[in-house]
Amino acid sequence: MKKLFALMLFLFVALATHAQDPKDPDFEVKDRLFKKYKNEVRAYDRKHFDDLFMEFFEKQAEESPTLTKEEYYTYTVKIAIYSEKYGLLYKKEKAQAQKTKDEWLSKQYSDYLAGRPAKP
């Protein structure tokens, strides 16, 4: 009985770690960045977040150099973490905050590159 319980627990943990999005080729990068910046971003105030958000959109502008995969995901993951924080602070907004977090974590670097103008 204990072996069965241990096996079920192992399978649950294994599935839970891959449940977020096993089809995402950049899952490991996002997961690493999420763990790295989680505490830092949760300490952000609204102004710090607004600055981060504006900086991200400015860096995506046509005349800016292309962001690296690491830079791109650092911005999207930080925005997702702040969305999570918002849901923790405002319980009535938890569902919307989770949806926003999931949207930011689902962004793909390949989509970003595809949207960049071709260089002459």
Side-chain angles (χ1 to χ4, degrees), residues 20 26-42 70 72-86 88 97-98 100-106:
Q20 292 183 357
D26 297 325
F27 172 78
E28 290 180 14
V29 175
K30 293 175 186 179
D31 188 52
R32 177 177 49 80
L33 291 170
F34 194 92
K35 290 173 184 173
K36 179 178 180 180
Y37 291 111
K38 185 176 183 178
N39 291 332
E40 175 187 323
V41 174
R42 284 191 174 176
E70 187 87 8
Y72 179 78
Y73 284 136
T74 296
Y75 282 109
T76 60
V77 166
K78 283 182 173 184
I79 293 168
I81 294 168
Y82 191 84
S83 298
E84 179 182 67
K85 172 188 173 178
Y86 189 82
L88 294 171
Q98 182 63 44
T100 303
K101 173 188 168 188
D102 293 342
E103 287 174 8
W104 280 100
L105 288 177
S106 70

mmCIF file of all heavy atoms in Angstrom, residues 20 26-42 70 72-86 88 97-98 100-106:
data_model
loop_
_atom_site.group_PDB
_atom_site.id
_atom_site.type_symbol
_atom_site.label_atom_id
_atom_site.label_comp_id
_atom_site.label_asym_id
_atom_site.label_seq_id
_atom_site.Cartn_x
_atom_site.Cartn_y
_atom_site.Cartn_z
ATOM 1 N N GLN A 20 2.267 22.714 -16.856
ATOM 2 C CA GLN A 20 2.110 24.101 -17.259
ATOM 3 C C GLN A 20 2.013 24.236 -18.770
ATOM 4 O O GLN A 20 1.108 24.859 -19.273
ATOM 5 C CB GLN A 20 3.227 24.956 -16.690
ATOM 6 C CG GLN A 20 3.115 25.053 -15.195
ATOM 7 C CD GLN A 20 4.167 25.942 -14.602
ATOM 8 O OE1 GLN A 20 5.020 26.451 -15.284
ATOM 9 N NE2 GLN A 20 4.105 26.114 -13.308
ATOM 10 N N ASP A 26 10.164 26.736 -24.964
ATOM 11 C CA ASP A 26 10.946 27.631 -24.100
ATOM 12 C C ASP A 26 10.515 27.556 -22.644
ATOM 13 O O ASP A 26 10.836 28.448 -21.854
ATOM 14 C CB ASP A 26 10.832 29.068 -24.609
ATOM 15 C CG ASP A 26 11.401 29.236 -25.996
ATOM 16 O OD1 ASP A 26 12.404 28.566 -26.306
ATOM 17 O OD2 ASP A 26 10.850 30.024 -26.785
ATOM 18 N N PHE A 27 9.799 26.499 -22.284
ATOM 19 C CA PHE A 27 9.300 26.360 -20.923
ATOM 20 C C PHE A 27 10.410 26.460 -19.885
ATOM 21 O O PHE A 27 10.270 27.144 -18.880
ATOM 22 C CB PHE A 27 8.541 25.033 -20.749
ATOM 23 C CG PHE A 27 8.169 24.749 -19.333
ATOM 24 C CD1 PHE A 27 7.088 25.385 -18.749
ATOM 25 C CD2 PHE A 27 8.920 23.883 -18.552
ATOM 26 C CE1 PHE A 27 6.752 25.150 -17.426
ATOM 27 C CE2 PHE A 27 8.586 23.632 -17.238
ATOM 28 C CZ PHE A 27 7.497 24.265 -16.669
ATOM 29 N N GLU A 28 11.517 25.792 -20.127
ATOM 30 C CA GLU A 28 12.608 25.776 -19.142
ATOM 31 C C GLU A 28 13.189 27.169 -18.926
ATOM 32 O O GLU A 28 13.517 27.536 -17.802
ATOM 33 C CB GLU A 28 13.692 24.789 -19.563
ATOM 34 C CG GLU A 28 13.240 23.350 -19.452
ATOM 35 C CD GLU A 28 14.307 22.353 -19.862
ATOM 36 O OE1 GLU A 28 15.484 22.738 -19.993
ATOM 37 O OE2 GLU A 28 13.949 21.184 -20.047
ATOM 38 N N VAL A 29 13.308 27.954 -19.996
ATOM 39 C CA VAL A 29 13.820 29.325 -19.875
ATOM 40 C C VAL A 29 12.859 30.152 -19.034
ATOM 41 O O VAL A 29 13.269 30.857 -18.106
ATOM 42 C CB VAL A 29 14.013 29.970 -21.265
ATOM 43 C CG1 VAL A 29 14.422 31.425 -21.144
ATOM 44 C CG2 VAL A 29 15.008 29.192 -22.095
ATOM 45 N N LYS A 30 11.589 30.061 -19.349
ATOM 46 C CA LYS A 30 10.581 30.831 -18.617
ATOM 47 C C LYS A 30 10.527 30.411 -17.146
ATOM 48 O O LYS A 30 10.439 31.270 -16.258
ATOM 49 C CB LYS A 30 9.201 30.641 -19.249
ATOM 50 C CG LYS A 30 9.076 31.234 -20.633
ATOM 51 C CD LYS A 30 7.723 30.886 -21.205
ATOM 52 C CE LYS A 30 7.584 31.312 -22.633
ATOM 53 N NZ LYS A 30 6.274 30.956 -23.195
ATOM 54 N N ASP A 31 10.584 29.119 -16.907
ATOM 55 C CA ASP A 31 10.533 28.605 -15.537
ATOM 56 C C ASP A 31 11.738 29.097 -14.733
ATOM 57 O O ASP A 31 11.591 29.527 -13.583
ATOM 58 C CB ASP A 31 10.474 27.074 -15.557
ATOM 59 C CG ASP A 31 10.223 26.491 -14.185
ATOM 60 O OD1 ASP A 31 9.257 26.919 -13.524
ATOM 61 O OD2 ASP A 31 10.989 25.601 -13.778
ATOM 62 N N ARG A 32 12.909 29.047 -15.337
ATOM 63 C CA ARG A 32 14.129 29.515 -14.657
ATOM 64 C C ARG A 32 14.015 31.002 -14.329
ATOM 65 O O ARG A 32 14.323 31.435 -13.217
ATOM 66 C CB ARG A 32 15.351 29.257 -15.544
ATOM 67 C CG ARG A 32 16.653 29.766 -14.947
ATOM 68 C CD ARG A 32 17.860 29.439 -15.815
ATOM 69 N NE ARG A 32 17.714 29.769 -17.218
ATOM 70 C CZ ARG A 32 17.869 31.002 -17.723
ATOM 71 N NH1 ARG A 32 18.157 32.017 -16.938
ATOM 72 N NH2 ARG A 32 17.740 31.221 -19.016
ATOM 73 N N LEU A 33 13.546 31.795 -15.291
ATOM 74 C CA LEU A 33 13.400 33.240 -15.068
ATOM 75 C C LEU A 33 12.323 33.536 -14.029
ATOM 76 O O LEU A 33 12.470 34.449 -13.208
ATOM 77 C CB LEU A 33 13.087 33.955 -16.384
ATOM 78 C CG LEU A 33 14.220 33.984 -17.397
ATOM 79 C CD1 LEU A 33 13.722 34.498 -18.735
ATOM 80 C CD2 LEU A 33 15.390 34.810 -16.899
ATOM 81 N N PHE A 34 11.248 32.760 -14.046
ATOM 82 C CA PHE A 34 10.179 32.951 -13.065
ATOM 83 C C PHE A 34 10.722 32.757 -11.654
ATOM 84 O O PHE A 34 10.475 33.569 -10.765
ATOM 85 C CB PHE A 34 9.027 31.979 -13.328
ATOM 86 C CG PHE A 34 7.765 32.316 -12.599
ATOM 87 C CD1 PHE A 34 6.799 33.099 -13.188
ATOM 88 C CD2 PHE A 34 7.543 31.856 -11.310
ATOM 89 C CE1 PHE A 34 5.629 33.426 -12.512
ATOM 90 C CE2 PHE A 34 6.384 32.169 -10.625
ATOM 91 C CZ PHE A 34 5.423 32.960 -11.232
ATOM 92 N N LYS A 35 11.477 31.687 -11.467
ATOM 93 C CA LYS A 35 12.063 31.419 -10.148
ATOM 94 C C LYS A 35 13.077 32.491 -9.756
ATOM 95 O O LYS A 35 13.156 32.891 -8.599
ATOM 96 C CB LYS A 35 12.718 30.042 -10.142
ATOM 97 C CG LYS A 35 11.714 28.917 -10.203
ATOM 98 C CD LYS A 35 12.390 27.574 -10.359
ATOM 99 C CE LYS A 35 11.357 26.462 -10.508
ATOM 100 N NZ LYS A 35 11.992 25.171 -10.815
ATOM 101 N N LYS A 36 13.842 32.962 -10.728
ATOM 102 C CA LYS A 36 14.885 33.953 -10.464
ATOM 103 C C LYS A 36 14.298 35.300 -10.044
ATOM 104 O O LYS A 36 14.812 35.955 -9.138
ATOM 105 C CB LYS A 36 15.740 34.128 -11.719
ATOM 106 C CG LYS A 36 16.844 35.159 -11.583
ATOM 107 C CD LYS A 36 17.668 35.239 -12.854
ATOM 108 C CE LYS A 36 18.774 36.274 -12.740
ATOM 109 N NZ LYS A 36 19.570 36.348 -13.977
ATOM 110 N N TYR A 37 13.227 35.733 -10.693
ATOM 111 C CA TYR A 37 12.702 37.087 -10.476
ATOM 112 C C TYR A 37 11.456 37.163 -9.603
ATOM 113 O O TYR A 37 10.960 38.265 -9.333
ATOM 114 C CB TYR A 37 12.402 37.750 -11.823
ATOM 115 C CG TYR A 37 13.648 38.058 -12.609
ATOM 116 C CD1 TYR A 37 13.942 37.361 -13.770
ATOM 117 C CD2 TYR A 37 14.540 39.020 -12.167
ATOM 118 C CE1 TYR A 37 15.098 37.642 -14.495
ATOM 119 C CE2 TYR A 37 15.695 39.306 -12.874
ATOM 120 C CZ TYR A 37 15.966 38.611 -14.037
ATOM 121 O OH TYR A 37 17.110 38.879 -14.743
ATOM 122 N N LYS A 38 10.948 36.038 -9.136
ATOM 123 C CA LYS A 38 9.689 36.031 -8.388
ATOM 124 C C LYS A 38 9.708 36.978 -7.187
ATOM 125 O O LYS A 38 8.836 37.831 -7.053
ATOM 126 C CB LYS A 38 9.369 34.609 -7.935
ATOM 127 C CG LYS A 38 8.038 34.470 -7.262
ATOM 128 C CD LYS A 38 7.756 33.022 -6.940
ATOM 129 C CE LYS A 38 6.388 32.872 -6.319
ATOM 130 N NZ LYS A 38 6.080 31.466 -6.054
ATOM 131 N N ASN A 39 10.699 36.855 -6.324
ATOM 132 C CA ASN A 39 10.745 37.705 -5.128
ATOM 133 C C ASN A 39 11.022 39.158 -5.471
ATOM 134 O O ASN A 39 10.463 40.068 -4.857
ATOM 135 C CB ASN A 39 11.789 37.178 -4.147
ATOM 136 C CG ASN A 39 11.379 35.861 -3.532
ATOM 137 O OD1 ASN A 39 10.191 35.582 -3.394
ATOM 138 N ND2 ASN A 39 12.347 35.040 -3.183
ATOM 139 N N GLU A 40 11.887 39.382 -6.452
ATOM 140 C CA GLU A 40 12.207 40.761 -6.856
ATOM 141 C C GLU A 40 10.959 41.484 -7.351
ATOM 142 O O GLU A 40 10.663 42.609 -6.930
ATOM 143 C CB GLU A 40 13.258 40.740 -7.957
ATOM 144 C CG GLU A 40 13.584 42.105 -8.528
ATOM 145 C CD GLU A 40 14.512 42.034 -9.731
ATOM 146 O OE1 GLU A 40 15.417 41.179 -9.748
ATOM 147 O OE2 GLU A 40 14.323 42.839 -10.653
ATOM 148 N N VAL A 41 10.213 40.850 -8.232
ATOM 149 C CA VAL A 41 9.047 41.508 -8.828
ATOM 150 C C VAL A 41 7.919 41.671 -7.821
ATOM 151 O O VAL A 41 7.208 42.674 -7.851
ATOM 152 C CB VAL A 41 8.574 40.730 -10.078
ATOM 153 C CG1 VAL A 41 7.277 41.299 -10.623
ATOM 154 C CG2 VAL A 41 9.650 40.769 -11.150
ATOM 155 N N ARG A 42 7.777 40.736 -6.926
ATOM 156 C CA ARG A 42 6.730 40.889 -5.904
ATOM 157 C C ARG A 42 6.981 42.087 -4.996
ATOM 158 O O ARG A 42 6.066 42.570 -4.344
ATOM 159 C CB ARG A 42 6.605 39.613 -5.084
ATOM 160 C CG ARG A 42 5.873 38.532 -5.850
ATOM 161 C CD ARG A 42 5.516 37.398 -4.979
ATOM 162 N NE ARG A 42 4.700 36.436 -5.707
ATOM 163 C CZ ARG A 42 4.313 35.299 -5.194
ATOM 164 N NH1 ARG A 42 4.655 34.974 -3.967
ATOM 165 N NH2 ARG A 42 3.581 34.476 -5.908
ATOM 166 N N GLU A 70 16.473 35.778 -24.093
ATOM 167 C CA GLU A 70 16.566 35.975 -22.642
ATOM 168 C C GLU A 70 15.942 37.315 -22.236
ATOM 169 O O GLU A 70 15.189 37.394 -21.259
ATOM 170 C CB GLU A 70 18.035 35.908 -22.212
ATOM 171 C CG GLU A 70 18.246 35.937 -20.736
ATOM 172 C CD GLU A 70 18.178 34.578 -20.067
ATOM 173 O OE1 GLU A 70 18.112 33.553 -20.751
ATOM 174 O OE2 GLU A 70 18.192 34.560 -18.829
ATOM 175 N N TYR A 72 13.700 39.120 -23.928
ATOM 176 C CA TYR A 72 12.261 39.076 -24.197
ATOM 177 C C TYR A 72 11.512 38.350 -23.084
ATOM 178 O O TYR A 72 10.535 38.865 -22.539
ATOM 179 C CB TYR A 72 12.006 38.394 -25.549
ATOM 180 C CG TYR A 72 10.553 38.274 -25.894
ATOM 181 C CD1 TYR A 72 9.838 39.365 -26.374
ATOM 182 C CD2 TYR A 72 9.865 37.073 -25.730
ATOM 183 C CE1 TYR A 72 8.490 39.265 -26.688
ATOM 184 C CE2 TYR A 72 8.527 36.963 -26.035
ATOM 185 C CZ TYR A 72 7.848 38.056 -26.517
ATOM 186 O OH TYR A 72 6.514 37.956 -26.812
ATOM 187 N N TYR A 73 11.997 37.170 -22.739
ATOM 188 C CA TYR A 73 11.317 36.404 -21.698
ATOM 189 C C TYR A 73 11.490 37.018 -20.316
ATOM 190 O O TYR A 73 10.616 36.852 -19.454
ATOM 191 C CB TYR A 73 11.770 34.941 -21.702
ATOM 192 C CG TYR A 73 11.161 34.154 -22.844
ATOM 193 C CD1 TYR A 73 11.926 33.283 -23.595
ATOM 194 C CD2 TYR A 73 9.814 34.276 -23.161
ATOM 195 C CE1 TYR A 73 11.370 32.562 -24.641
ATOM 196 C CE2 TYR A 73 9.249 33.568 -24.200
ATOM 197 C CZ TYR A 73 10.026 32.706 -24.936
ATOM 198 O OH TYR A 73 9.464 31.996 -25.963
ATOM 199 N N THR A 74 12.560 37.741 -20.077
ATOM 200 C CA THR A 74 12.705 38.419 -18.791
ATOM 201 C C THR A 74 11.576 39.425 -18.613
ATOM 202 O O THR A 74 10.951 39.497 -17.544
ATOM 203 C CB THR A 74 14.076 39.109 -18.678
ATOM 204 O OG1 THR A 74 15.092 38.107 -18.710
ATOM 205 C CG2 THR A 74 14.199 39.903 -17.386
ATOM 206 N N TYR A 75 11.270 40.180 -19.670
ATOM 207 C CA TYR A 75 10.167 41.143 -19.587
ATOM 208 C C TYR A 75 8.820 40.438 -19.428
ATOM 209 O O TYR A 75 8.036 40.788 -18.542
ATOM 210 C CB TYR A 75 10.127 42.034 -20.832
ATOM 211 C CG TYR A 75 11.157 43.125 -20.832
ATOM 212 C CD1 TYR A 75 12.246 43.082 -21.696
ATOM 213 C CD2 TYR A 75 11.054 44.212 -19.976
ATOM 214 C CE1 TYR A 75 13.204 44.081 -21.704
ATOM 215 C CE2 TYR A 75 12.007 45.222 -19.973
ATOM 216 C CZ TYR A 75 13.071 45.151 -20.840
ATOM 217 O OH TYR A 75 14.012 46.149 -20.830
ATOM 218 N N THR A 76 8.541 39.450 -20.269
ATOM 219 C CA THR A 76 7.217 38.821 -20.218
ATOM 220 C C THR A 76 7.003 38.076 -18.898
ATOM 221 O O THR A 76 5.903 38.118 -18.341
ATOM 222 C CB THR A 76 6.991 37.869 -21.409
ATOM 223 O OG1 THR A 76 7.979 36.836 -21.407
ATOM 224 C CG2 THR A 76 7.027 38.625 -22.723
ATOM 225 N N VAL A 77 8.041 37.449 -18.391
ATOM 226 C CA VAL A 77 7.921 36.722 -17.125
ATOM 227 C C VAL A 77 7.739 37.697 -15.965
ATOM 228 O O VAL A 77 6.908 37.467 -15.079
ATOM 229 C CB VAL A 77 9.135 35.793 -16.906
ATOM 230 C CG1 VAL A 77 9.201 35.293 -15.478
ATOM 231 C CG2 VAL A 77 9.088 34.619 -17.877
ATOM 232 N N LYS A 78 8.468 38.792 -15.964
ATOM 233 C CA LYS A 78 8.297 39.778 -14.895
ATOM 234 C C LYS A 78 6.879 40.355 -14.897
ATOM 235 O O LYS A 78 6.279 40.557 -13.835
ATOM 236 C CB LYS A 78 9.325 40.906 -15.030
ATOM 237 C CG LYS A 78 10.706 40.532 -14.557
ATOM 238 C CD LYS A 78 11.656 41.715 -14.675
ATOM 239 C CE LYS A 78 13.010 41.429 -14.065
ATOM 240 N NZ LYS A 78 13.891 42.612 -14.111
ATOM 241 N N ILE A 79 6.336 40.621 -16.072
ATOM 242 C CA ILE A 79 4.966 41.133 -16.162
ATOM 243 C C ILE A 79 3.983 40.075 -15.653
ATOM 244 O O ILE A 79 3.030 40.392 -14.941
ATOM 245 C CB ILE A 79 4.653 41.586 -17.599
ATOM 246 C CG1 ILE A 79 5.512 42.808 -17.949
ATOM 247 C CG2 ILE A 79 3.165 41.904 -17.763
ATOM 248 C CD1 ILE A 79 5.518 43.185 -19.414
ATOM 249 N N ALA A 80 4.229 38.818 -15.972
ATOM 250 C CA ALA A 80 3.375 37.730 -15.487
ATOM 251 C C ALA A 80 3.437 37.629 -13.964
ATOM 252 O O ALA A 80 2.407 37.434 -13.306
ATOM 253 C CB ALA A 80 3.796 36.409 -16.127
ATOM 254 N N ILE A 81 4.621 37.750 -13.407
ATOM 255 C CA ILE A 81 4.775 37.673 -11.950
ATOM 256 C C ILE A 81 4.029 38.820 -11.279
ATOM 257 O O ILE A 81 3.354 38.632 -10.259
ATOM 258 C CB ILE A 81 6.265 37.687 -11.538
ATOM 259 C CG1 ILE A 81 6.970 36.426 -12.028
ATOM 260 C CG2 ILE A 81 6.409 37.811 -10.018
ATOM 261 C CD1 ILE A 81 8.493 36.482 -11.920
ATOM 262 N N TYR A 82 4.106 40.013 -11.853
ATOM 263 C CA TYR A 82 3.394 41.148 -11.263
ATOM 264 C C TYR A 82 1.881 40.919 -11.345
ATOM 265 O O TYR A 82 1.147 41.270 -10.415
ATOM 266 C CB TYR A 82 3.770 42.464 -11.936
ATOM 267 C CG TYR A 82 3.255 43.649 -11.169
ATOM 268 C CD1 TYR A 82 3.971 44.155 -10.092
ATOM 269 C CD2 TYR A 82 2.035 44.239 -11.480
ATOM 270 C CE1 TYR A 82 3.489 45.227 -9.352
ATOM 271 C CE2 TYR A 82 1.549 45.305 -10.752
ATOM 272 C CZ TYR A 82 2.280 45.800 -9.687
ATOM 273 O OH TYR A 82 1.791 46.850 -8.963
ATOM 274 N N SER A 83 1.429 40.313 -12.429
ATOM 275 C CA SER A 83 0.004 39.988 -12.556
ATOM 276 C C SER A 83 -0.419 39.024 -11.449
ATOM 277 O O SER A 83 -1.495 39.168 -10.861
ATOM 278 C CB SER A 83 -0.283 39.362 -13.922
ATOM 279 O OG SER A 83 0.013 40.272 -14.945
ATOM 280 N N GLU A 84 0.434 38.052 -11.167
ATOM 281 C CA GLU A 84 0.168 37.110 -10.084
ATOM 282 C C GLU A 84 0.085 37.856 -8.751
ATOM 283 O O GLU A 84 -0.804 37.605 -7.939
ATOM 284 C CB GLU A 84 1.265 36.055 -10.041
ATOM 285 C CG GLU A 84 1.103 35.040 -8.934
ATOM 286 C CD GLU A 84 2.252 34.053 -8.915
ATOM 287 O OE1 GLU A 84 3.404 34.473 -8.616
ATOM 288 O OE2 GLU A 84 2.010 32.871 -9.191
ATOM 289 N N LYS A 85 1.014 38.776 -8.529
ATOM 290 C CA LYS A 85 1.025 39.569 -7.291
ATOM 291 C C LYS A 85 -0.284 40.348 -7.157
ATOM 292 O O LYS A 85 -0.871 40.409 -6.077
ATOM 293 C CB LYS A 85 2.211 40.542 -7.302
ATOM 294 C CG LYS A 85 2.190 41.528 -6.145
ATOM 295 C CD LYS A 85 3.236 42.597 -6.281
ATOM 296 C CE LYS A 85 3.049 43.649 -5.203
ATOM 297 N NZ LYS A 85 4.042 44.691 -5.244
ATOM 298 N N TYR A 86 -0.733 40.917 -8.254
ATOM 299 C CA TYR A 86 -1.978 41.685 -8.246
ATOM 300 C C TYR A 86 -3.148 40.811 -7.788
ATOM 301 O O TYR A 86 -3.981 41.238 -6.991
ATOM 302 C CB TYR A 86 -2.234 42.246 -9.654
ATOM 303 C CG TYR A 86 -3.368 43.227 -9.714
ATOM 304 C CD1 TYR A 86 -3.174 44.563 -9.367
ATOM 305 C CD2 TYR A 86 -4.636 42.834 -10.121
ATOM 306 C CE1 TYR A 86 -4.219 45.476 -9.429
ATOM 307 C CE2 TYR A 86 -5.682 43.730 -10.188
ATOM 308 C CZ TYR A 86 -5.466 45.047 -9.837
ATOM 309 O OH TYR A 86 -6.492 45.950 -9.889
ATOM 310 N N LEU A 88 -2.953 38.220 -5.873
ATOM 311 C CA LEU A 88 -2.786 37.916 -4.449
ATOM 312 C C LEU A 88 -3.226 39.087 -3.578
ATOM 313 O O LEU A 88 -3.757 38.890 -2.479
ATOM 314 C CB LEU A 88 -1.331 37.559 -4.148
ATOM 315 C CG LEU A 88 -0.815 36.267 -4.775
ATOM 316 C CD1 LEU A 88 0.702 36.147 -4.590
ATOM 317 C CD2 LEU A 88 -1.528 35.066 -4.196
ATOM 318 N N ALA A 97 -6.429 38.225 -12.898
ATOM 319 C CA ALA A 97 -4.971 38.283 -12.757
ATOM 320 C C ALA A 97 -4.337 36.978 -13.232
ATOM 321 O O ALA A 97 -3.296 36.988 -13.895
ATOM 322 C CB ALA A 97 -4.600 38.565 -11.309
ATOM 323 N N GLN A 98 -4.955 35.853 -12.920
ATOM 324 C CA GLN A 98 -4.438 34.558 -13.372
ATOM 325 C C GLN A 98 -4.502 34.453 -14.894
ATOM 326 O O GLN A 98 -3.567 33.962 -15.531
ATOM 327 C CB GLN A 98 -5.218 33.407 -12.725
ATOM 328 C CG GLN A 98 -4.723 32.028 -13.089
ATOM 329 C CD GLN A 98 -3.295 31.768 -12.619
ATOM 330 O OE1 GLN A 98 -2.936 32.108 -11.495
ATOM 331 N NE2 GLN A 98 -2.480 31.172 -13.465
ATOM 332 N N THR A 100 -4.382 36.949 -17.004
ATOM 333 C CA THR A 100 -3.350 37.842 -17.521
ATOM 334 C C THR A 100 -1.970 37.203 -17.379
ATOM 335 O O THR A 100 -1.155 37.247 -18.310
ATOM 336 C CB THR A 100 -3.397 39.191 -16.780
ATOM 337 O OG1 THR A 100 -4.708 39.754 -16.934
ATOM 338 C CG2 THR A 100 -2.367 40.160 -17.318
ATOM 339 N N LYS A 101 -1.711 36.607 -16.241
ATOM 340 C CA LYS A 101 -0.437 35.912 -16.019
ATOM 341 C C LYS A 101 -0.239 34.825 -17.072
ATOM 342 O O LYS A 101 0.830 34.727 -17.690
ATOM 343 C CB LYS A 101 -0.407 35.303 -14.623
ATOM 344 C CG LYS A 101 0.802 34.424 -14.357
ATOM 345 C CD LYS A 101 0.671 33.696 -13.030
ATOM 346 C CE LYS A 101 1.719 32.625 -12.906
ATOM 347 N NZ LYS A 101 1.514 31.784 -11.740
ATOM 348 N N ASP A 102 -1.257 34.019 -17.292
ATOM 349 C CA ASP A 102 -1.163 32.934 -18.274
ATOM 350 C C ASP A 102 -0.929 33.470 -19.684
ATOM 351 O O ASP A 102 -0.166 32.886 -20.459
ATOM 352 C CB ASP A 102 -2.425 32.073 -18.246
ATOM 353 C CG ASP A 102 -2.577 31.287 -16.953
ATOM 354 O OD1 ASP A 102 -1.574 31.119 -16.216
ATOM 355 O OD2 ASP A 102 -3.712 30.841 -16.675
ATOM 356 N N GLU A 103 -1.559 34.578 -20.011
ATOM 357 C CA GLU A 103 -1.363 35.188 -21.333
ATOM 358 C C GLU A 103 0.086 35.625 -21.523
ATOM 359 O O GLU A 103 0.672 35.409 -22.584
ATOM 360 C CB GLU A 103 -2.308 36.377 -21.524
ATOM 361 C CG GLU A 103 -3.741 35.975 -21.728
ATOM 362 C CD GLU A 103 -4.690 37.162 -21.760
ATOM 363 O OE1 GLU A 103 -4.229 38.326 -21.765
ATOM 364 O OE2 GLU A 103 -5.911 36.923 -21.779
ATOM 365 N N TRP A 104 0.663 36.242 -20.508
ATOM 366 C CA TRP A 104 2.049 36.699 -20.626
ATOM 367 C C TRP A 104 3.025 35.527 -20.664
ATOM 368 O O TRP A 104 4.019 35.576 -21.387
ATOM 369 C CB TRP A 104 2.399 37.672 -19.485
ATOM 370 C CG TRP A 104 1.878 39.031 -19.790
ATOM 371 C CD1 TRP A 104 0.742 39.606 -19.302
ATOM 372 C CD2 TRP A 104 2.444 39.987 -20.684
ATOM 373 N NE1 TRP A 104 0.573 40.851 -19.843
ATOM 374 C CE2 TRP A 104 1.609 41.113 -20.686
ATOM 375 C CE3 TRP A 104 3.592 40.004 -21.481
ATOM 376 C CZ2 TRP A 104 1.869 42.240 -21.462
ATOM 377 C CZ3 TRP A 104 3.857 41.126 -22.246
ATOM 378 C CH2 TRP A 104 3.006 42.221 -22.239
ATOM 379 N N LEU A 105 2.742 34.477 -19.918
ATOM 380 C CA LEU A 105 3.624 33.314 -19.937
ATOM 381 C C LEU A 105 3.492 32.510 -21.228
ATOM 382 O O LEU A 105 4.395 31.766 -21.590
ATOM 383 C CB LEU A 105 3.355 32.412 -18.731
ATOM 384 C CG LEU A 105 3.830 32.949 -17.386
ATOM 385 C CD1 LEU A 105 3.434 31.999 -16.258
ATOM 386 C CD2 LEU A 105 5.339 33.183 -17.378
ATOM 387 N N SER A 106 2.382 32.672 -21.929
ATOM 388 C CA SER A 106 2.187 31.926 -23.174
ATOM 389 C C SER A 106 2.818 32.625 -24.382
ATOM 390 O O SER A 106 2.890 32.047 -25.464
ATOM 391 C CB SER A 106 0.695 31.698 -23.427
ATOM 392 O OG SER A 106 0.057 32.913 -23.752
#
